[in-house]
Amino acid sequence: MREPADFDAFYDATSRRVLHQLYALTGDLGRARDCTQEAYARAWRHWPAVTAATSPEAWVRGTAWRLASGRWRRGGRRATAPPGTASADVVAALLRLPEKQRYAIVVRYLAGAAVADIAAETGTSVATVENRLAKAHATLTRILPGDIAALTGGHRV
C-alpha cells in the first residue's frame, strides 16, 4: 500500500538533489526538470518496489537519467549550459565527458554515492566505476584545472 505522507517526505527530502544531479548530467534544466518529474511519477506508481530498493533516491536518479538519455538519443543534440557562471562552466565540461564517465563522476561527487553503490546502480564492477572516475577526473583536470577540486571536494579519484 502506498502511503502519501511517506512519498511526500521522500520527495521533499530528495527532489532538489536529484534535479541538480540531473542538470549536471544533462546540461539542460528543462530536460532535467521534465525527467525528474517523470521519474518521481514513476516512483509513486511503483512505490512498494522503490521503498524496497537499497536506495530509493538512486532508483529515482537512475530512472530520470534513463529518461534523459533516451531523449538525447532521440533528440540527437545535447543542450549546453547557460554561460556566465562557474557552475555553467562545470556543467559544460561535464557534457564533454562520455555518458558513463559523466554519470559516475556526478553520482560520486554530487550525490555522494560510494563507488560500490555506483557499481550496483549501473550493473558494473567496482573496478569499472573506478576506471570511469579516473578517466573523467583526468579529462576534467585538463578542461577545468581550477574548478575540478570544487566538483570533487578536493579528492583525487
Side-chain angles (χ1 to χ4, degrees):
M1 180 175 166
R2 292 188 276 191
E3 294 295 330
D6 292 344
F7 181 82
D8 290 348
F10 168 70
Y11 179 86
D12 290 344
T14 63
S15 62
R16 191 170 186 88
R17 275 194 310 269
V18 171
L19 174 62
H20 289 164
Q21 294 160 19
L22 204 61
Y23 172 65
L25 288 165
T26 66
D28 183 328
L29 187 56
R31 179 173 303 167
R33 282 185 180 134
D34 290 347
C35 294
T36 299
Q37 182 178 16
E38 176 60 25
Y40 278 98
R42 290 180 184 195
W44 170 249
R45 287 192 301 269
H46 303 286
W47 190 234
V50 173
T51 57
T54 303
S55 170
E57 186 172 342
W59 189 100
V60 171
R61 181 181 50 246
T63 299
W65 174 241
R66 285 186 294 282
L67 288 165
S69 293
R71 290 181 185 180
W72 262 350
R73 289 185 191 101
R74 285 191 301 276
R77 193 175 144 234
R78 292 182 185 174
T80 57
T85 65
S87 62
D89 293 341
V90 170
V91 170
L94 287 168
L95 291 173
R96 293 174 61 182
L97 296 173
E99 274 186 21
K100 292 176 181 179
Q101 288 178 26
R102 184 169 60 249
Y103 190 83
I105 204 153
V106 165
V107 173
R108 176 73 179 109
Y109 294 107
L110 296 184
V115 172
D117 294 337
I118 299 168
E121 189 175 326
T122 58
T124 58
S125 69
V126 167
T128 297
V129 173
E130 289 172 342
N131 183 275
R132 288 174 183 166
L133 287 168
K135 287 179 179 179
H137 191 277
T139 300
L140 291 173
T141 299
R142 284 193 306 276
I143 298 169
L144 296 169
D147 291 333
I148 188 66
L151 176 67
T152 64
H155 293 87
R156 176 76 181 131
V157 183

